[in-house]
Amino acid sequence: MSTATDVPAGTKLVDQPSAKWFLISSVVFFAITTFVGLLLSLKFIWPEFMGSAPWLTFGRVRPLHVNGVLFGWLLAADIGLLFYVVPRICGNRLWSEKLGIATVVLFDLIILSAVYTTLSGTTQGLEYAELPFALDVGVTLAWVMFGVNIFMTIATRKHEKLYVSLWYTMGAIVWTAFVYISGNFATLFQKGIGQANLNWFYVHNAVGLIFTPLGLALAYYFIPLASNRPLFSHKLSMIGFWSIAFIYVWTGAHHMLHGPISQWLQTVAILFSVMLIIPVWTVITNFYGTVSGHWDRVKASPILKYLMAGTTFYLLTCFQGPMHSLRTVNAIVSKTDWIPGHAHMAVLGAFSFFAIGGTLWSLPRITGRPIHSDALANRSFWLMLWGGLIYFVSLWVGGFMQGLQWNDTSIPWVDTVMSMKPYYVARALGGALIFAGVVAFLYNVFRSLGRPEQEGAPAATSTSPAAG
Amino acid sequence: MPANPLAKTDRSAMALFLAATAFFFVGGLMTTVVPALTEDAWSKPVAGLRPLTEQEQRGRDIYKREGCWYCHTQQVRTLEADVKRFGWRGVDAPISTPGEYVNDSPHLLGTRRIGPDLSRVGGKYDRSWHLTHFRNPRDLVPGSIMPPFPWLTDRDGGKEFEDLLAYIQTLGRATDWRPQKDYEK
């Protein structure tokens, strides 16, 4: 593997304002929306916390946290990183920086409007699809603008061969468009169980066909570079990509197991959920295989720590998922606190960790300013890792106990609520550590932006794991 | 090198685009469009189902606005635990069927039970119980973590509470599941 491209060594590839502003915007929303999550976790301990103003109650603030983290932070960070990564792999520049800047402005306007609509109770009443119709149109437009920019960059590429990150990126752009339309527009034409089925199709594929391929596109790019190792296996990456493209979309109905939905749909969802082990384990083997034998580099690099911890959480999340979809396991964990434990491991532990690692790698190369402090980056990693583990484990243990209690109908409902208290306290503590880690990350990013530009900063090289 | 039908996608963005779209549509159509066309039960109402009155619909909008559905499901699953737990006074709760939901948009089946399922709550508690409970749930259920909703009960003479109550009292009534007809008002 080499890191050569057509751009001569020493050429500065700065002036990537679209990537930079998406990253800055995403990091700010990361801190805000994580803080909102922390406030919510305290309501489980003190239900009257934050008083009883309508706009500060759980039912209004929860969608702000969920949509804010998913769209304001993670999707924006993924877009910003792809604005950086895709031109690097293609050996050219982003097709249109102007379009990119327009995209970030539109995107931020949507997020700020969404803060107002969620807190005021303006909602479509569907999970992940709470935003009102006008904002849905805005999101669709922003996605088309992003997609056009990326596809045109790829169409005008200098390297013919499409590195695996580009497959995932293109797949994600196409799938996201259809998934988003199914969840936000097609649902308008359905009622009852048909609508619920579409809603779960959307919710599940929002994670499976939006955040998974975007996150894997980034991990496939950053892991070989940050470890300075060639990708373990091209063939495995093909198996992983095409199997996820085929399998993931069938699994939405596993959110309604034992519910009022056709048995054949439930069974199909279970079968395909279990088959997801194929793409996940091929991807994981590829990532671990890339770094195998060079784990000392992980110890030395906060970027690799984030990427490899993200890989491990991806493996664990995607082992839990198929297990939850088994009818017997589902009868215990479904609808319990286990599920938020699982969801946070996917969104925070896997995909946010990929995005943070990518941000720490890219930002110096975009701005010509090195990261303020590696030690601080390490500290933020450990805070998020321990906070995350406390969060996940407390909800798994608590949620499992909760499920067992629900299945013993001699226990009154409210007793099952009260028995969760110690787990809720532990979860809030974990949340506080995560938030502290995010603040450290935010501070590090902003201190880095404030540094003077440096000759010989990492920006001086153009790199692609695919080149050569 | 063995022939690989997808090898072209390694170099052609268009081939990759088309293949990725096709893969998606196979599963997408099979799991969303096909059942919507073939599952008659999804659009056939149960016998006792009637459209919501204007007041009940306003109440449903409040239920949606306040995010009640984040903490309360509306589905009795095919599990003995659900049937027993959400039954009442010795009568099992009937399992939820698609026909009960045909008028629902947005559907409010829910995904989490921070509080109990509500699909059979209609008629379990009377008006004064709900009024007290919405003002402060812990007055009636010590240990509950449900938020108080004083703006529903006290603003405009509690108009929003009355609307929400009217909606809540419809939940599960289409199945008319209580042999003694002992529904509270």
Side-chain angles (χ1 to χ4, degrees), chain A residues 48 60 62 130 157 160 162 167 175 192 195 197 199 234 258 262 264 335 337 405-408 411, chain B residues 10-11 20 27 31 39 65-66 70 77-78 81 85 101 104-107 111-113 115 138 151:
Chain A
E48 262 123 280
R60 308 271 186 103
R62 181 195 184 273
E130 285 93 345
R157 68 190 183 278
E160 190 202 358
L162 295 163
W167 313 346
W175 298 329
Q195 190 193 53
N197 185 46
N199 183 207
H234 181 68
H258 306 292
S262 327
W264 73 266
K335 320 272 182 286
D337 272 296
Q405 290 180 17
W406 289 355
N407 283 305
D408 176 352
I411 303 174
Chain B
D10 239 9
R11 294 184 181 276
T31 54
E39 295 294 310
R65 183 188 78 200
E66 301 305 344
Y70 289 120
R77 295 172 297 169
T78 53
R85 186 171 282 288
Y101 302 91
D104 286 8
S105 184
H107 79 83
T111 179
R112 257 299 271 127
R113 284 179 180 159
R138 275 154 296 288
W151 67 95

Side-chain angles (χ1 to χ4, degrees), chain B residues 74-111:
Chain B
Q74 288 188 18
Q75 46 175 318
V76 174
R77 295 172 297 169
T78 53
L79 296 173
E80 199 188 351
D82 272 23
V83 168
K84 296 283 178 208
R85 186 171 282 288
F86 304 116
W88 190 241
R89 293 180 187 150
V91 182
D92 288 356
I95 290 167
S96 298
T97 57
E100 294 177 55
Y101 302 91
V102 294
N103 296 330
D104 286 8
S105 184
H107 79 83
L108 298 168
L109 280 108
T111 179

Side-chain angles (χ1 to χ4, degrees), chain A residues 44 47-48 52 54 57-60 62-63 121 123-127 130 151 157 160-162 167 170 174-175 178-179 190-201 209 234 238 242 245-246 249-250 256-262 264-265 331 334-337 340 405-409 411-414 417-418, chain B residues 4 6-7 9-13 16-17 19-21 23-28 30-32 34-36 39 42 64-67 69-71 73 75 77-79 81 84-86 96-98 101-116 136 138 141-148 150-151 155:
Chain A
F44 285 77
E48 262 123 280
S52 50
T57 46
F58 185 84
R60 308 271 186 103
R62 181 195 184 273
T123 173
Q124 295 195 10
L126 295 169
E127 183 91 39
E130 285 93 345
F151 272 108
R157 68 190 183 278
E160 190 202 358
K161 199 160 168 142
L162 295 163
W167 313 346
M170 288 191 278
V174 181
W175 298 329
F178 292 117
V179 167
Q190 291 254 312
K191 287 181 168 186
I193 298 302
Q195 190 193 53
N197 185 46
L198 267 180
N199 183 207
W200 293 120
F201 171 85
L209 292 177
H234 181 68
M238 283 200 91
W242 289 108
F246 184 67
V249 67
W250 295 77
M256 290 189 67
L257 294 185
H258 306 292
I261 195 163
S262 327
W264 73 266
L265 261 176
S334 180
K335 320 272 182 286
T336 71
D337 272 296
Q405 290 180 17
W406 289 355
N407 283 305
D408 176 352
T409 50
I411 303 174
W413 180 269
V414 71
V417 175
M418 287 192 283
Chain B
N4 178 343
L6 288 170
T9 60
D10 239 9
R11 294 184 181 276
S12 163
L16 185 128
F17 174 88
T21 309
F23 275 45
F24 174 86
F25 268 90
V26 175
M30 281 303 290
T31 54
T32 61
V34 169
E39 295 294 310
W42 290 11
K64 175 181 84 166
R65 183 188 78 200
E66 301 305 344
W69 52 281
Y70 289 120
C71 300
T73 55
Q75 46 175 318
R77 295 172 297 169
T78 53
L79 296 173
K84 296 283 178 208
R85 186 171 282 288
F86 304 116
S96 298
T97 57
Y101 302 91
V102 294
N103 296 330
D104 286 8
S105 184
H107 79 83
L108 298 168
L109 280 108
T111 179
R112 257 299 271 127
R113 284 179 180 159
I114 297 172
N136 183 10
R138 275 154 296 288
V141 189
S144 162
I145 57 170
M146 177 167 143
W151 67 95
R155 206 188 278 167

Side-chain angles (χ1 to χ4, degrees), chain A residues 16 27 36 45 68 102 132 156 161 180 199 222 271 320 322 349 403 419:
Chain A
Q16 294 166 285
V27 173
V36 171
I45 307 166
T156 57
K161 199 160 168 142
Y180 194 81
N199 183 207
F222 291 117
L271 281 173
Q320 280 185 338
S419 73

